[in-house]
Amino acid sequence: MNMNLRHLLNITFLFTAYICYGQEAKVTYPDSTKIDITKSILIENELNNYDQINLKFPRLNPADKLQPQFSPFQRFTLTPPNYTRNGILPDIHWNGIASDFIFSKSSTAVATAMPTSRLLLHSSATLGIIETPFFGKANFYSINAGGIYAVSPFLNVGLRGGYFSNYDIIPTWNIGADASYVINPNLMVDGSITYMETANNYFGVNQAVVTADLHSRYRINNDWFLNAYGGAPIKQFNNNPSQPMLPMMSTPYFGGTVEHWFKPTMGVEGGMIWSRDMMSGKMRPRPKLELKFRPGR
């Protein structure tokens, strides 16, 4: 395990310990003041109504055909907590999400806290299992931690880091920077720069990549939206030039979707993505249809 990974795991452990201590040591005063500031951190069904937060969690690479996806991120939507000054430590809020596909299942627990009125800290842990008729069962886990800062009602920036066990085959760790900007009441853009590196493994693979990802969302009306996605590696590192890059280290993609919310908390997103085929090396189109959920008001 290299020093960078060890530092990342230590930071995640300390943040988790801090969360647990905060739950025990919370002091409440009767005159506590709630300031609704995180409304600036992302978008719900109207782009000028900022009462949802989207956290980005790295997941399996977009070329993985076990489940449809448009980017290397799983966007977890939650209702932001109100900033509350109840003594020394902020309140801790817990959320969770689970997925159940034909060949894979996973569960994620998320803890969030607001030490200041503009800063949201988050930490998460994911456990999952994959089962196929030919290869049997395999377990995986990932841990992530980071923060989102509201620069203004229209601009948010964030930092994050994480570790993915990758079924104990070739684990990876990553660090990244995110930003989102509301250009006008109908258009939002967000982007990321991520550095990913392989951890110690039995195969001696030592690779790394810097990738850029962009996403834009356009509101047609309160129920209909258009999305555009795209991303590609911009710099790659390989200790063995004769060895090809891992699929997760070399997967450009682009695509678009139409998003429709037929209920306040439930919608559907469908479209097409083009990503590099691992076998032929060519860009292949793939359809996508996904149900979407968000917290109620």
Side-chain angles (χ1 to χ4, degrees):
M1 182 180 295
N2 57 39
M3 291 299 294
N4 291 327
L5 176 58
R6 190 171 299 169
H7 290 162
L8 177 62
L9 293 176
N10 288 338
I11 291 172
T12 303
F13 173 78
L14 291 174
F15 183 68
T16 304
Y18 162 78
I19 287 175
C20 295
Y21 175 76
Q23 290 288 79
E24 297 295 329
K26 183 178 69 174
V27 179
T28 303
Y29 296 96
D31 295 330
S32 60
T33 303
K34 293 186 177 181
I35 304 174
D36 196 3
I37 196 66
T38 53
K39 285 185 176 180
S40 60
I41 298 181
L42 277 182
I43 289 174
E44 201 222 335
N45 65 332
E46 293 185 39
L47 295 193
N48 56 0
N49 186 7
Y50 315 105
D51 58 356
Q52 304 291 320
I53 300 175
N54 286 334
L55 303 182
K56 287 184 176 180
F57 297 139
R59 58 181 173 182
L60 297 178
N61 72 83
D64 189 347
K65 294 179 172 56
L66 292 177
Q67 45 187 298
Q69 51 196 33
F70 264 86
S71 81
F73 299 109
Q74 173 70 50
R75 294 172 181 268
F76 177 63
T77 304
L78 56 85
T79 300
N82 290 327
Y83 171 65
T84 308
R85 195 64 178 178
N86 283 336
I88 299 175
L89 298 176
D91 293 340
I92 308 302
H93 299 264
W94 297 92
N95 291 273
I97 188 172
S99 64
D100 189 349
F101 293 90
I102 297 176
F103 297 114
S104 65
K105 297 179 176 63
S106 67
S107 298
T108 300
V110 183
T112 57
M114 293 192 66
T116 73
S117 60
R118 290 181 177 267
L119 177 63
L120 176 79
L121 299 178
H122 60 86
S123 180
S124 71
T126 299
L127 296 175
I129 184 172
I130 184 172
E131 183 176 6
T132 63
F134 300 103
F135 301 102
K137 293 182 179 180
N139 298 303
F140 67 91
Y141 68 90
S142 67
I143 54 175
N144 296 279
I148 300 175
Y149 184 76
V151 178
S152 74
F154 307 103
L155 175 63
N156 304 280
V157 296
L159 294 174
R160 54 183 163 74
Y163 175 81
F164 176 44
S165 69
N166 198 23
Y167 313 101
D168 295 323
I169 301 174
I170 303 179
T172 61
W173 66 271
N174 66 85
I175 56 174
D178 307 310
S180 64
Y181 183 65
V182 178
I183 298 176
N184 61 50
N186 294 319
L187 180 62
M188 182 208 76
V189 295
D190 64 86
S192 303
I193 296 290
T194 303
Y195 174 80
M196 180 187 295
E197 181 179 288
T198 56
N200 290 341
N201 58 85
Y202 295 108
F203 304 97
V205 176
N206 185 7
Q207 297 181 1
V209 66
V210 178
T211 59
D213 298 274
L214 289 173
H215 165 239
S216 64
R217 187 171 186 237
Y218 179 75
R219 181 177 74 96
I220 300 174
N221 56 43
N222 288 348
D223 300 322
W224 291 90
F225 296 82
L226 297 177
N227 291 277
Y229 299 87
I234 56 179
K235 190 152 184 80
Q236 297 174 324
F237 311 89
N238 192 348
N239 68 328
N240 186 356
S242 63
Q243 186 180 55
M245 295 294 292
L246 297 171
M248 68 188 72
M249 300 286 185
S250 182
T251 309
Y253 68 95
F254 61 90
T257 66
V258 176
E259 178 184 342
H260 175 56
W261 291 89
F262 48 85
K263 289 185 178 181
T265 58
M266 183 181 298
V268 64
E269 183 178 359
M272 190 73 69
I273 182 174
W274 283 258
S275 61
R276 178 175 292 167
D277 187 275
M278 292 183 290
M279 300 299 179
S280 66
K282 297 180 180 181
M283 299 296 287
R284 302 286 189 186
R286 292 175 52 213
K288 175 197 173 182
L289 182 64
E290 180 183 9
L291 284 173
K292 299 175 70 71
F293 302 93
R294 65 188 172 205
R297 301 192 177 202

